[in-house]
Amino acid sequence: MMEIANVSSPEVFVLLGFSARPSLEAVLFIVVLGFYVVSILGNGIIILVSRMDVHLHTPMYFFLANLSFLDISFTTSIVPQLLANLWGPQKTISYGGCVVQFCISHWLGATECVLLATMSYDRYAAICRPLHYIVIMHPQLCLGLALASWLGGLTTSMVGSTLTMLLPLCGNNRIDHFFCEMPLIMQLACVDISLNEMEMYLASFVFVVLPLGLILVSYGHIARAVLKIRSAEGRRKALNTCSSHVAVVSLFYGSIILMYLQPAKSTSHEQGKFIALFYTVVSPALNPFIYTLRNTEVKRALRHTVLENCCGSAGKRAQI
């Protein structure tokens, strides 16, 4: 089977992307590049501040640093190739590059679903079990949950990618999207793909539906706990600790739901590309702002880090 797959696999894939709208490509290039730079800087700052400020050495910011690293990796696996295709007339990606792209994007997408569920459990423990929070969310558990998220995503990606790579494509190499996505590669196959579809549905249930269910259950308990808080100030503080995570979950799962509930029409497929552009480029750039705009701890840590570095540099120059 592997021999058949190697013979029939094309050397390059053509990513049609937004080539049907050539006048839009220059604008998209500037927009995508801008959001990519903001995503790298914003998420990089969150990782740096979470490591440098001892006040942020908590489970919440440990998971947030993981999410920021994931967002940087996810956008980097897609955006450079997208920018290259938007810039010039050539819309190709090598077979190996395509395989790497759909392996990594599938891995990180599944990991983010589990990681967001883990973060919702952390918020549940903080609000519903505040007196036992430190005992529940001890460092070993946090590290174990983070590793389970990354390794779980990697496992499902390796299984799905291997099954996809074994499919003979019989020379089909035109992908009507701006990046290599596993379901689109499967559609190019010239054999029955029922086994691949079964694996994809099972993986979607385990890594998308179940985590979403856990998130909803966690926030159901949180909502009930918040309603029992008598003071308005206490309710406000409790809601503030969850609002950022709720916003990120809404952006992530809202994009997925919109993407996969699109009817099978050409116009809807074009809309799907822009939705995919949102969750691959825009959403990772928005996440740092969501977690910093209303978060006094991160703002304080940023000010402290900037002032310390600036004042420290100025003091050293004055001594010299």
Side-chain angles (χ1 to χ4, degrees):
M1 185 69 173
M2 181 64 79
E3 189 176 331
I4 295 172
N6 287 339
V7 170
S8 59
S9 296
E11 293 183 3
V12 296
F13 287 96
V14 178
L15 294 171
L16 299 179
F18 302 95
S19 56
R21 305 183 182 188
S23 60
L24 191 61
E25 289 188 326
V27 177
L28 282 176
F29 179 88
I30 296 170
V31 172
V32 170
L33 180 60
F35 274 106
Y36 182 54
V37 171
V38 170
S39 177
I40 297 295
L41 291 176
N43 286 295
I45 287 171
I46 284 182
I47 294 171
L48 186 64
V49 170
S50 297
R51 294 293 300 166
M52 292 181 65
D53 195 301
V54 292
H55 298 96
L56 300 185
H57 291 176
T58 62
M60 176 181 172
Y61 295 103
F62 169 74
F63 293 125
L64 179 57
N66 272 266
L67 181 64
S68 294
F69 178 71
L70 187 150
D71 281 339
I72 290 174
S73 304
F74 183 67
T75 53
T76 301
S77 71
I78 294 170
V79 171
Q81 181 66 47
L82 171 59
L83 290 173
N85 290 350
L86 289 172
W87 180 256
Q90 192 172 0
K91 312 293 181 186
T92 58
I93 182 173
S94 67
Y95 176 81
C98 189
V99 169
V100 169
Q101 194 174 73
F102 71 66
C103 283
I104 293 177
S105 61
H106 190 66
W107 170 24
L108 299 180
T111 300
E112 184 159 359
C113 292
V114 181
L115 193 58
L116 289 174
T118 301
M119 294 172 76
S120 73
Y121 176 73
D122 171 68
R123 293 300 82 207
Y124 158 78
I127 293 173
C128 299
R129 307 287 298 278
L131 299 179
H132 303 91
Y133 177 69
I134 296 177
V135 176
I136 294 172
M137 300 304 295
H138 55 85
Q140 291 81 7
L141 177 64
C142 293
L143 183 60
L145 289 172
L147 283 174
S149 302
W150 287 94
L151 292 176
L154 179 61
T155 301
T156 187
S157 174
M158 293 301 294
V159 173
S161 299
T162 301
L163 289 175
T164 303
M165 290 167 62
L166 289 173
L167 290 172
L169 305 182
C170 303
N172 298 324
N173 71 336
R174 295 171 68 83
I175 302 173
D176 192 9
H177 214 317
F178 60 84
F179 73 102
C180 292
E181 201 174 24
M182 201 175 294
L184 297 176
I185 303 296
M186 287 162 50
Q187 290 174 15
L188 299 178
C190 51
V191 294
D192 180 51
I193 59 170
S194 55
L195 176 63
N196 300 72
E197 289 178 333
M198 191 188 315
E199 186 278 332
M200 186 177 67
Y201 292 140
L202 179 61
S204 297
F205 177 77
V206 174
F207 288 93
V208 179
V209 178
L210 280 184
L212 179 59
L214 291 173
I215 291 170
L216 293 175
V217 169
S218 295
Y219 277 104
H221 286 291
I222 289 170
R224 190 168 60 180
V226 169
L227 290 174
K228 291 180 181 179
I229 299 173
R230 294 181 179 180
S231 68
E233 180 65 18
R235 285 196 295 269
R236 187 187 64 80
K237 286 183 178 179
L239 291 173
N240 280 344
T241 63
C242 301
S243 58
S244 299
H245 183 256
V246 170
V248 170
V249 168
S250 300
L251 282 175
F252 181 75
Y253 274 100
S255 301
I256 291 177
I257 291 169
L258 283 174
M259 182 75 182
Y260 291 102
L261 290 183
Q262 290 284 316
K265 296 178 182 177
S266 59
T267 54
S268 297
H269 184 69
E270 287 298 311
Q271 292 172 5
K273 292 180 187 178
F274 287 97
I275 295 172
L277 198 64
F278 181 84
Y279 75 74
T280 56
V281 179
V282 179
S283 185
L286 292 179
N287 288 351
F289 292 99
I290 291 171
Y291 273 103
T292 56
L293 288 178
R294 298 186 62 188
N295 194 314
T296 54
E297 289 181 315
V298 176
K299 289 179 184 176
R300 180 195 51 77
L302 278 170
R303 284 196 297 268
H304 176 74
T305 303
V306 171
L307 289 173
E308 187 180 66
N309 289 338
C310 292
C311 295
S313 300
K316 288 178 182 178
R317 284 198 298 268
Q319 289 176 3
I320 294 173

